[in-house]
Amino acid sequence: MLSRVEDLFGRRLEVGDCVVVVTLHSGGPTWARCIRSLLTHTSAETPLVIFDDAGGSARARQELTEAETLTGREVFIVTQPRNLGFVENVNSAFDMLNPADVIILNSDIIVGPQWDSRLINAGRARTDIATATALSSNGTIYTVDTGEAEDYSPTLEEIEDRALRVAEQSVRLRPFVPVATSYCTYYSRRALNVVGQFDPEFSPGYGEEVDFSLRAISFGFSHVAADDVYVFHATGESFGPVGENVGKADNDRFILARYPYWQSWISEFWSDSETPLARASRLARVAIRGLTVAVDAENIHPSLTGTFEASVALTRRIADHPRVGTLYIVSPEDRVPMLRDSLQTLGIAAQVVTLGQLKADGIEIDLAFRPYQDFTGLHWPAIAAYAHRNIIWLLDLIAAKNPHYSEDAASFSRLGHAITSSLVDADAVGVLTEHVRQDLASYHEGSAEPARIFLLPTGAPTGLVSPVASHVPENAAFAELADREYVLVLGTTFLHKNLTWLSRVFLMVTSLGWPGVLVFAGPDPSTGSSRRLDADLRALTGEGRILNFGRVSDDDRIILLSGAALVVTPSVTEGWGMVPFEAAQLGSVPLASHGGGLGDIAPHAALSLLLSDDAADARTINTLLTDPDARENQRRAWSEKAAEFSWESSADILIRAGLDVLARPRSQRPGRREIAL
C-alpha cells in the first residue's frame, strides 16, 4: 500500500519526477502478463503505483503478488474507497502525485524493455509537449498493423522482441498527433498544471482524453507519438462491465459541441498516409513484419546479359535479407509462368504476380525496386506509384546518351524520357559507382540531388566452379581452341565494349611474338553492335587469329574463363564490371581498361589499359601474357579487391536505403509525365 507519496522516492515529490500509474478495475486475461512485464521492464528510477478502482480485484491482487515474487520487485498500491470510474480514478492520481509527471497505463497493456525511459524522453523532447503516447497493436491512430488476427495474443518474449525491433528501427520522429489516448501515455505536469485534469463530465470514461488533448492544444501545447515505444494492447479488459460508458454517444456529441472542428480534423489526419505519424507507424510495422518489397521484372528473362544477371543475383539476396518479410516479383501478365519456373529453378523465395493482382488483393507494398534503368515507361511507373516508396538502380547512362543503340530517333527520344522520368520520380537512386553519379549529374542535374543518390555496387562473384573435365562444350567453335592459348573478351558486342579497338591492338601483340588467338564470346544486340567492323577486321587478319563464338552457355562461359591466358575488358565506359572478378576467382588473369566505372573498382596495384597509346597497351597485354610474376600480381590484386564487394552487402545497402526513404517524406517533385508511345 502507498500511505505516503514520500515513499516513492524516499523524499517529497519534485518537478522532474515521473511516476507510472496503472489503472486497475478487476483485471482480466492479460493482467498477469501486464504486471509481470511492468515489473521486469520498468526502470528502478520510475516508481510503479496501482490505482485500484474497487472493482472486485481479488484475483488480480493474487496475480500481482505472484509477479512480485517472481521478479523480486514490489509495487505501490492505492485502493479507492469506492468505484470512481476511470476519469476520477486518474484525476485522483494526478492530484496525489503532483508535481510529478505521470504515465497512465491500462491493465491490459504489455510493455517491452526500456519502455518507460523511451516514453519519458519522447514526452520531454520539447517543452510544449503535453502528452506522448506509445505505438500499439490496438490503439486507434497509434495502431501498428501486425497483420495478425485480432484475437492473437503473442507471448511475452514475442512482445519484447517486437518492442526492441521497433525501438531499433525508429528514427524518433516524435510525430505530432491531434489527440492522446490513455492506454500508455505520458502526461506532462506542465500541461496538467496549466490546462487542468480530465473533465468529470466525461465520467466514468470515454472522450476525456480527446477533451483534454484539445484543451491542451488551445493553450499552445502539442501531443506526440513515442515512435520508439511499442506495447501490446489487448483492449476491453481494463474496466470491466461497471466501467462501460453507456453515455458514449452523449460524450461524442459533447465533444463535437465543444470542438466543432474535431471530427473533420481527425478524419483528415487519419486518412493522410504521409503524415509523420503514418510514416512512423509504417516503420514500426516493417520492424515487426519485415519489408514488403516489389521488384519490377519487366526485363528479367532467361536470355540474360550481365545487366540482368546482376538483377537476379541482387533479387536473390533481397529475398534472403533478414529485414525483408515478403518479396513480390511484378511481371507483365504474359511472362508470369516463365518467371515462376525460373525463380523455382533458381531457388529464389518470391511470389510472381502482376500489378493488377497486387491491387486486387489490397497488398501494401513498402518499397518498389527497379534493378536497372526504365527503358520503356510502360511497366515501372505504375509499380512505383503504387508502392509507398520506390528506388531505381541506375547501372549506367550509355543507352540514354547513344542514339546508335535505338532503332530510330523516336525510339531514342522515348527511351530518354522513360529513363529521365523514372529518375525524377524516384525516392532514391542507387548508382553503381562514383563515375555513374558524376555521369548522372552531367546528364540530368535535377535527378542527381545528393540526398537521393547512394552508391549501390554489384557483388563480386563467388562460388564459380568449372564444369567437370568430362564436360563436352556445347559450342562447336571450341574445337578451334585445341592446344592454343587465347585472350578472352566476354560481353555483348556493343560498340562501347571496344572490341574493334582491341582487335587492332591484338595484332600489335602478335607482332611482339605471342602466338595465341583472340576470342570474343557474347551475344550480338539488334542495334549498336560492332559485329560488322569486327568481321571485317577478322577477315583482314587471316589465319584464324580472331574468333567470335557468339553467345555461349553458362558452363561453356566458365570453361572459357578458366582456360584463358588473359581475360580482357576493353570497354570505353562501364557502370561497374563483373568479368575481371569472375576471371580472378577462376584463377585467370584479368585486365580492364581504365574507363568509366572500371576505373572506380580496379585495384590500385593492377595494370590497366589506357586506350590513349596503342603501343603501350600492347606491351601491357604482352607483359601479362609472358611474365609469370606480373601475371600473379595482377590476378592477386583483383582477387583481393573482390573481397570488398558481395551481394549480401549490396542487398543490405539497398534495404537500409529503403528504410531511410520510408522514414522521409515522399518526394514532392512533379509526378511522372505520360510518355507518348
Side-chain angles (χ1 to χ4, degrees):
M1 301 296 294
L2 179 64
S3 55
R4 303 176 334 125
V5 294
E6 287 80 4
D7 293 340
L8 295 174
F9 291 96
R11 55 168 171 76
R12 296 180 62 182
L13 292 179
E14 301 174 354
V15 173
D17 292 337
C18 187
V19 180
V20 174
V21 168
V22 184
T23 60
L24 175 65
H25 181 263
S26 57
T30 308
W31 166 247
R33 291 188 297 158
C34 167
I35 192 62
R36 181 180 167 186
S37 73
L38 282 169
L39 291 170
T40 302
H41 296 305
T42 305
S43 66
E45 292 74 29
T46 309
L48 285 166
V49 184
I50 296 173
F51 275 70
D52 186 342
D53 197 21
S57 54
R59 176 57 185 161
R61 290 292 191 96
Q62 177 61 36
E63 290 172 332
L64 169 61
T65 300
E66 293 171 1
E68 287 176 321
T69 301
L70 182 65
T71 61
R73 178 174 177 174
E74 296 183 357
V75 298
F76 298 96
I77 301 176
V78 173
T79 302
Q80 303 294 2
R82 60 181 176 83
N83 180 239
L84 301 177
F86 179 78
V87 171
E88 293 189 47
N89 191 26
V90 171
N91 278 347
S92 72
F94 286 151
D95 283 335
M96 179 180 289
L97 301 174
N98 190 23
D101 300 331
V102 179
I103 294 174
I104 301 298
L105 199 81
N106 284 359
S107 60
D108 54 4
I109 294 293
I110 302 175
V111 301
Q114 298 95 43
W115 76 277
D116 58 317
S117 57
R118 298 182 199 279
L119 192 62
I120 293 168
N121 288 340
R124 294 175 177 174
R126 299 194 313 272
T127 58
D128 65 342
I129 293 175
T131 68
T133 301
L135 301 177
S136 167
S137 59
N138 193 332
T140 60
I141 61 175
Y142 297 90
T143 299
V144 176
D145 179 14
T146 61
E148 295 160 343
E150 289 186 11
D151 59 352
Y152 178 72
S153 183
T155 65
L156 287 174
E157 291 74 18
E158 285 177 307
I159 295 168
E160 291 173 11
D161 180 65
R162 292 177 182 186
L164 290 171
R165 285 172 178 263
V166 169
E168 180 186 6
Q169 189 67 62
S170 173
V171 293
R172 295 166 182 78
L173 292 173
R174 312 298 191 214
F176 165 80
V177 287
V179 61
T181 70
S182 294
Y183 63 80
C184 183
T185 301
Y186 164 97
Y187 285 84
S188 159
R189 179 58 61 177
R190 182 184 179 97
L192 290 169
N193 192 49
V194 172
V195 175
Q197 302 173 352
F198 290 162
D199 188 340
E201 290 287 339
F202 292 91
S203 291
Y206 192 86
E208 72 285 338
E209 75 271 33
V210 177
D211 175 72
F212 174 84
S213 298
L214 297 180
R215 275 189 287 130
I217 283 176
S218 73
F219 277 87
F221 287 98
S222 294
H223 308 286
V224 300
D227 52 331
D228 56 346
V229 184
Y230 173 82
V231 299
F232 176 77
H233 187 195
T235 75
E237 299 180 16
S238 298
F239 310 119
V242 296
E244 291 178 1
N245 186 354
V246 296
K248 174 182 180 300
D250 290 337
N251 286 1
D252 283 338
R253 286 190 289 270
F254 195 12
I255 290 289
L256 288 176
R258 282 189 177 182
Y259 313 101
Y261 56 83
W262 166 242
Q263 195 60 59
S264 60
W265 186 22
I266 191 62
S267 296
E268 183 177 355
F269 179 85
W270 205 343
S271 64
D272 187 348
S273 64
E274 286 301 323
T275 63
L277 177 63
R279 300 202 311 273
S281 298
R282 197 174 298 135
L283 281 173
R285 184 197 71 207
V286 165
I288 294 170
R289 297 174 57 180
L291 273 169
T292 301
V293 181
V295 174
D296 182 3
E298 180 187 18
N299 287 89
I300 296 178
H301 49 75
S303 299
L304 297 178
T305 63
T307 296
F308 304 126
E309 285 182 357
S311 302
V312 170
L314 183 55
T315 298
R316 182 195 300 276
R317 295 299 177 259
I318 294 171
D320 295 338
H321 196 279
R323 294 206 174 185
V324 173
T326 307
L327 177 63
Y328 292 97
I329 306 298
V330 186
S331 167
E333 188 168 358
D334 61 340
R335 296 178 55 243
V336 168
M338 178 276 292
L339 280 169
R340 284 178 179 161
D341 290 343
S342 297
L343 289 181
Q344 185 174 3
T345 300
L346 293 168
I348 297 177
Q351 301 178 48
V352 181
V353 296
T354 65
L355 180 59
Q357 288 173 316
L358 290 178
K359 291 181 176 180
D361 293 341
I363 294 171
E364 195 169 355
I365 299 298
D366 298 310
L367 181 68
F369 176 57
R370 171 93 176 187
Y372 33 75
Q373 297 83 276
D374 182 9
F375 301 106
T376 67
L378 295 175
H379 201 239
W380 170 247
I383 300 172
Y386 181 72
H388 286 295
R389 298 291 185 272
N390 80 84
I391 294 178
I392 196 160
W393 198 13
L394 182 61
L395 308 181
D396 58 58
L397 284 162
I398 296 168
K401 300 190 302 181
N402 191 341
H404 294 277
Y405 291 174
S406 295
E407 293 181 358
D408 50 42
S411 299
F412 178 63
S413 178
R414 286 195 297 269
L415 181 145
H417 279 291
I419 290 177
T420 300
S421 295
S422 66
L423 296 173
V424 168
D425 192 52
D427 294 291
V429 177
V431 293
L432 279 176
T433 53
E434 183 61 32
H435 161 75
V436 179
R437 185 202 301 269
Q438 294 172 3
D439 203 19
L440 175 59
S442 72
Y443 175 74
H444 192 272
E445 187 176 10
S447 301
E449 303 158 62
R452 292 196 302 127
I453 308 299
F454 66 100
L455 285 177
L456 179 59
T458 67
T462 58
L464 296 179
V465 179
S466 297
V468 296
S470 60
H471 172 77
V472 178
E474 299 172 29
N475 194 313
F478 272 55
E480 299 185 55
L481 295 182
D483 301 321
R484 303 181 77 178
E485 290 187 288
Y486 61 93
V487 172
L488 175 66
V489 180
L490 278 176
T492 307
T493 59
F494 283 119
L495 283 162
H496 74 273
K497 298 292 186 178
N498 212 16
L499 305 184
T500 306
W501 171 86
L502 181 63
S503 298
R504 187 178 73 221
V505 172
F506 177 74
L507 295 179
M508 299 177 68
V509 174
T510 62
S511 70
L512 295 174
W514 191 72
V517 297
L518 176 62
V519 175
F520 298 149
D524 287 325
S526 58
T527 58
S529 174
S530 64
R531 61 183 178 274
R532 181 173 299 174
L533 293 173
D534 300 336
D536 291 343
L537 192 56
R538 289 199 303 274
L540 290 174
T541 60
E543 301 180 16
R545 299 297 297 271
I546 301 177
L547 309 175
N548 190 334
F549 284 9
R551 182 185 293 277
V552 295
S553 69
D554 287 343
D555 282 348
D556 284 1
R557 178 171 174 270
I558 292 177
I559 289 174
L560 284 172
L561 280 167
S562 302
L566 186 66
V567 179
V568 181
T569 305
S571 298
V572 171
T573 182
E574 290 286 343
W576 206 74
M578 184 73 69
V579 173
F581 293 116
E582 292 177 330
Q585 190 198 345
L586 291 167
S588 295
V589 179
L591 174 64
S593 61
H594 197 76
L598 286 166
D600 290 334
I601 66 170
H604 292 302
L607 298 175
S608 298
L609 296 172
L610 303 176
L611 307 188
S612 54
D613 185 334
D614 289 0
D617 286 335
R619 288 193 296 272
T620 296
I621 293 173
N622 190 61
T623 296
L624 291 175
L625 288 170
T626 58
D627 185 331
D629 291 338
R631 289 173 56 79
E632 175 56 23
N633 291 338
Q634 183 82 352
R635 187 203 58 77
R636 185 171 58 248
W638 277 98
S639 294
E640 292 173 352
K641 185 68 175 181
E644 298 179 17
F645 305 102
S646 73
W647 286 112
E648 290 82 1
S649 174
S650 296
D652 195 55
I653 291 170
L654 172 65
I655 297 307
R656 283 190 281 112
L659 294 171
D660 179 61
V661 296
L662 280 170
R664 290 194 267 118
R666 179 181 280 278
S667 168
Q668 297 302 310
R669 293 177 299 279
R672 274 182 166 276
R673 294 167 292 171
E674 290 296 325
I675 302 171
L677 297 171

